[in-house]
Structure formats: C-alpha cells, structure tokens
C-alpha cells in the first residue's frame, strides 16, 4: 500500500511515533518509498498529541530524518541481541531451556534479589519511644516526645529519637511521672510545598501503581488508548480525540499554549489566589534523548474528566483523572503550612529532660486543593526541609515560660518498637529505583517488570516483588562469574553511552565492539567449567 501510494506522490511525510523506535521505522519506510519513487521528497513529522491542532502543528514543521536517533536505536537493538541472546543461551546451557538475561532485565532482577538478601541478613534493633501528654493554660492537651536527657540527645533510630534499653526507658518514665514541666521556646514558621512537576512516564507509572493499583504494563496500555484517541460525543457530533500527549517521555517541559490554557482553567476553577504570578517552570533533571517530547498532559482543557466520563472505560477514566489533576496542580500556587515547634523542659530527681512537640496546619491549600483531603504523597513530590508530616496534631497557644501539667490518663507513655528491614520492592518503588540508577528508559520499565515475572525469577506476592529460588540462583551465578550485565554501575554507564550515540557524541561501534568482546570472553570463561550451575544435590538419609 505504501509503495503504491508513494509512486504517485511528490512529497511523503512519515509520522511514526515520536521516539527512537519511531525514527527507526521512519528510516525503513524511507527506503521502501525510495525504491518505488526515487524523486519523492521525504520528510519526518512528529505528533506529540493526536488532536487536530497537534497534527496540523506537526505537518507545519516537517524535518529531515534524524540519523543520530536512528543510530541510537540500532545500537540499543544490536546491544540487546549481542548481550541478551548469548547470555540467555548460556543460562539454557547451565540451567534449563527458556530462561533469559538482558541489559535491563538482569540489573532489575539483581536489585530485587539484593533487597531480599538485605532483609534476610537484617537484625532488628529494639527501641523505646517515650512521650508525655501535657496540657497548658488552655486546651487541647498535646503529646510531646522525649528528645534529650541532661542536654544529651537520645539515639536517633530511623527518624525518631528513642531510648535504646528498657531500664533507661523505665527510669525516664518514673522521673517524668513526677516531673515539673515548663515551655522553654515556641518557634513558628511558615513553610511552603511547591506544586509537583507534570508527569513523566516513570512518575505516572509510580502513581498509577500506588494510587490505582495498576501495573506499569497496564498503565502504558491504557495510556496508549488515551493518546491514540477516544470517541467523544454521539452520532453526527462524534469525534475521535486524543486525550493526552505522548506517554513515553523523560521530560517535564510544557508548551506555552498548554500552560496558558491551564492557567486560565485554574483561575476560573480555583480563583486568582491559587494562580502564581508567573507560570511554574520545571527543569528536566536528566538530560537525555527523550527530551524531544513534552510531559504527559491532557490535550484539551475543555474536556475535564467529568465531561468525558461517559465515553471512557473505568480504567481509562481513573488514569485520565490522575493525569488531569497532576497537570492542573503543576500550574498552581504552593501549599502553605503554619508550623510550630515547642521545646519543653522537665525536671525531676536532679535530672533535666528535654521534650519536643510539633504541629503543622494547612493555612492555604494552593495546589493541594486539587487533591482534596488526600495526604498520600505523590511520586516526585518535593518536601521542603523540615516540613513535618501532613496535618499533625493542632497545638494550643503556648507561651515561653508557661508551666504545663501532665494529663492523666494517658500521662507518660512508653512504646516498645523494633526496627524494620528495608521493604521489598513493589512495582512503583522498583520503577523509581531503576530511574534513580539510570537503568532502562521510560519505554522499557513496564516490559522489564513483567518479563522477570514471566521467567519465574520473581513472584508478585500481595503487591510485593519476591525473588524465587531460581531468580536468586541466576543472579548469584552471574555475579560470581563476574558478568558485566549483572553489575548495576556497568548498566548505568552503558545507558549513558547509548544517550551519547543519540546525541552524536559517540559512534555506534565504539560502544558495541568493547561490550561484545568482553561479554564473549566472559561467556567462554563460564563455558570452561563444565556441568550445570544447579546446586549440588544433597544426599538425604531417607530411602
């Protein structure tokens, strides 16, 4: 069909997806068109959103095909073949048929296995939290936590100050039960929490996972439908509208038009006080080849979730709402909190105890108005230094030097706790970790997480990613044998080299050749030790 059409055309526009793979497909199409019509002018157009405006915008700015992007895609593809295929083949040889290894899959599996090992090796530590329920000249009463004894700070366990032995905690309680209390200082300050940046692929996958219980793979599939277009309206008035911009992006950049429309919507919906004087601008932290696209955002501000609700499947509506809220919030004023910190002195039996109470109240909702009462943190939400957890207990008005009394019950409370091992990864936290480590790209996270489960390396148990004995064994052997692909640092460096090819700072073969030679040498060395990598069988004394 393409050849037949191209024969009659003077000009051919290639509008494949706006990413590396899309660029490669465009190069292959160019070759086909040239065969049937050598004289045709061939150009590349990008549609960041499938809307009338987005398509016209793309067609108005055709460009030449980008050889660097194509080169980067070829490098990545060949790298995955010359890395993944021989290594998978070695695993078949050493274990069993059907296993696989790869440039992103193996480091991702290693992260999961290492986390399980940290948990297995974890030794819990006992600690005791001591607090007193106090009341001043006016209600309500409030809780203050023990922080110092005779000016010396208690040990910090996690984010809390605590006693590290039961006798120490018991002595503190005995003293505090009959101590006299007074306020030493009251410090008030206003803190702000800035609006979060609009969604990149990984942040969308994280929030969809933690808020909607949607796996990264499912998120991408639902987002694809929203991007390609949904039929809005009925009968003659029906139109197909791409509701969101392209969903594979590392960038937090927004077009000027989108920001202007969003600001108009914020002013109309939330009032002028919720609108910052200047638009919020977000810098993309990681300069990489995917910065060609905008952040993920709605394409039209005249189609809020409630207007399209009846045309969307439940999952589509949930994801669209998530993207809509984040985009609206990103152009709003900061949330403002009043934070109070009170230092209290207690004296008993010749000892001086220092206690602390803090509280923060939301003074101005700003972008928080979009999320209502929800206090669940968002992916990528930046905390201002020292801002305590949301909506802490309200503190009564207190003055320096004010005498406080112990309110009983509950009086002085001692809670015995144990430190917890680091949590197993869930899909959201693994995506976050892969992004932090610079392993893989937005387009690969979802695929990798489902692949390690398909291979029976990892099981999803109640939302947690637990390595199977096979997964642990594969990583143990690849690490013991010194394979680069099982090394997190090596994978990060490889990803940087691939970006360098896309930006024409490096040549394809300069990346491929050394990688190929090293891997072949590592595989040959592993093959020299004959026999399988299964653990030695254990003889049981049972017939």
């Amino acid at each position: 069909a393409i050849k037949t059409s191209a024969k009659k055309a003077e000009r051919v526009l290639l509008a494949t997806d706006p990413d590396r793979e899309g660029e490669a497909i465009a190069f292959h199409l160019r070759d086909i068109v040239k065969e049937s019509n050598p004289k045709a002018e061939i150009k590349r157009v990008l549609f960041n959103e499938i809307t009338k405006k987005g398509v016209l915008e793309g067609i108005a700015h055709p460009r030449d095909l980008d050889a660097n992007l194509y080169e980067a895609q070829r490098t990545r593809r060949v790298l995955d073949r010359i890395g993944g295929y021989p290594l998978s083949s070695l695993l078949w040889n050493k274990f069993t048929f059907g296993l696989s290894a790869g440039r992103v899959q193996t480091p991702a599996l290693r992260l999961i296995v290492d986390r399980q090992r940290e948990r297995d090796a974890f030794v819990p530590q006992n600690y005791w939290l001591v607090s007193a329920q106090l009341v001043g000249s006016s209600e309500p009463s409030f809780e203050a936590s023990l922080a110092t004894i005779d000016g010396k700070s208690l040990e910090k366990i996690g984010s809390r100050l605590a006693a590290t032995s039961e006798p120490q905690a018991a002595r503190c309680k005995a003293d505090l039960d009959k101590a006299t209390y007074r306020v030493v200082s009251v410090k008030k300050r206003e803190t702000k929490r800035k609006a979060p940046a609009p969604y990149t692929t990984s942040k969308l996958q994280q929030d969809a996972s933690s808020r909607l219980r949607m796996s990264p793979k499912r998120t991408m599939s639902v987002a694809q439908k929203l991007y390609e277009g949904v039929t809005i309206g009925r009968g003659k008035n029906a139109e197909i509208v791409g509701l969101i911009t392209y969903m594979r992006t590392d960038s937090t950049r927004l077009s000027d038009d989108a920001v202007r429309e969003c600001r108009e919507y914020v002013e109309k919906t939330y009032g002028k006080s919720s609108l910052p004087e200047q638009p919020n601008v977000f810098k993309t932290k990681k300069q990489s080849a995917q910065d060609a696209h905008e952040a993920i955002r709605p394409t039209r501000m005249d189609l809020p979730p409630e207007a399209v609700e009846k045309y969307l499947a439940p999952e589509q509506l949930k994801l669209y709402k998530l993207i809509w809220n984040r985009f609206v919030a990103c152009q709003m004023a900061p949330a403002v909190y009043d934070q109070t910190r009170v230092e209290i002195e207690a004296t008993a039996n010749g000892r001086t105890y220092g206690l602390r109470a803090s509280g923060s109240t939301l003074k101005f909702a700003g972008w928080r108005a979009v999320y209502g009462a929800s206090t669940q943190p968002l992916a990528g939400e930046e905390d201002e230094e020292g801002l305590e957890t949301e909506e802490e207990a309200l503190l009564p008005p207190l003055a320096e030097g004010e005498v406080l009394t112990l309110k009983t019950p509950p009086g002085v409370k001692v809670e015995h706790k144990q430190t917890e091992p680091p949590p197993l990864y869930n899909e959201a936290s693994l995506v976050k970790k892969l992004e932090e480590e610079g392993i893989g790209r937005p387009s690969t996270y979802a695929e990798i997480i489902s692949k390690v489960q398909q291979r029976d390396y990892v099981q999803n148990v109640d939302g947690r990613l637990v390595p199977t004995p096979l997964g642990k064994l594969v990583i143990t052997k690849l690490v013991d044998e010194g394979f680069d692909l099982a090394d997190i640092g090596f994978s990060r460096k490889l990803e940087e080299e691939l970006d360098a090819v896309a930006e024409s700072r490096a040549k394809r073969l300069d990346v491929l050749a050394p990688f190929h030679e090293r891997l072949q040498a590592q595989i040959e060395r592993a093959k020299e030790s004959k026999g399988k990598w299964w653990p030695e069988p254990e003889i049981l004394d049972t017939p």
Side-chain angles (χ1 to χ4, degrees), residues 42-195:
I42 302 172
K43 290 282 186 187
R44 168 88 160 107
V45 295
L46 297 177
F47 302 150
N48 190 40
E49 51 185 73
I50 310 295
T51 56
K52 183 175 179 182
K53 183 176 141 242
V55 171
L56 290 173
E57 180 78 13
I59 289 173
H61 299 100
R63 63 161 171 81
D64 290 328
L65 275 81
D66 187 334
N68 292 330
L69 271 186
Y70 180 37
E71 204 56 354
Q73 189 273 342
R74 287 171 77 194
T75 314
R76 197 171 279 270
R77 191 181 56 153
V78 173
L79 201 54
D80 286 342
R81 302 294 189 277
I82 64 176
Y85 286 12
L87 200 50
S88 300
S89 166
L90 178 73
L91 292 180
W92 296 359
N93 188 302
K94 292 287 186 185
F95 285 117
T96 185
F97 180 77
L99 301 185
S100 68
R103 181 175 57 82
V104 186
Q105 181 194 147
T106 303
L109 176 58
R110 176 154 189 196
L111 288 171
I112 295 168
V113 170
D114 283 355
R115 176 56 59 90
Q116 180 66 60
R117 286 186 178 143
E118 277 180 66
R119 287 175 65 83
D120 293 344
F122 181 79
V123 179
Q125 181 187 354
N126 288 306
Y127 64 97
W128 288 262
L129 297 173
V130 183
S131 63
Q133 193 73 22
L134 301 169
V135 65
S137 53
S138 55
E139 288 281 350
S141 66
F142 61 96
E143 191 178 274
S145 302
L146 181 64
T148 63
I149 302 173
D150 290 333
K152 200 173 162 206
S153 182
L154 293 179
E155 199 171 315
K156 194 164 192 180
I157 310 231
S159 59
R160 319 278 295 269
L161 294 168
T164 51
S165 76
E166 200 169 1
Q168 182 192 21
R171 171 151 187 208
C172 294
K173 177 174 166 40
D175 285 351
L176 290 172
D177 275 335
K178 48 181 186 290
T180 53
Y181 296 85
R182 70 179 187 90
V183 177
V184 178
S185 71
V186 180
K187 290 194 179 95
K188 285 189 181 178
R189 68 185 183 115
E190 190 179 86
T191 53
K192 292 181 179 179
R193 194 174 280 190
K194 291 183 196 138

Side-chain angles (χ1 to χ4, degrees), residues 470-491:
L470 176 63
K472 289 182 188 170
L473 200 52
V474 166
I475 286 299
T476 300
K477 289 300 179 183
L478 292 177
V479 171
D480 288 353
E481 296 284 335
F483 278 96
D484 290 336
L485 281 179
D487 177 353
I488 309 287
F490 177 82
S491 302

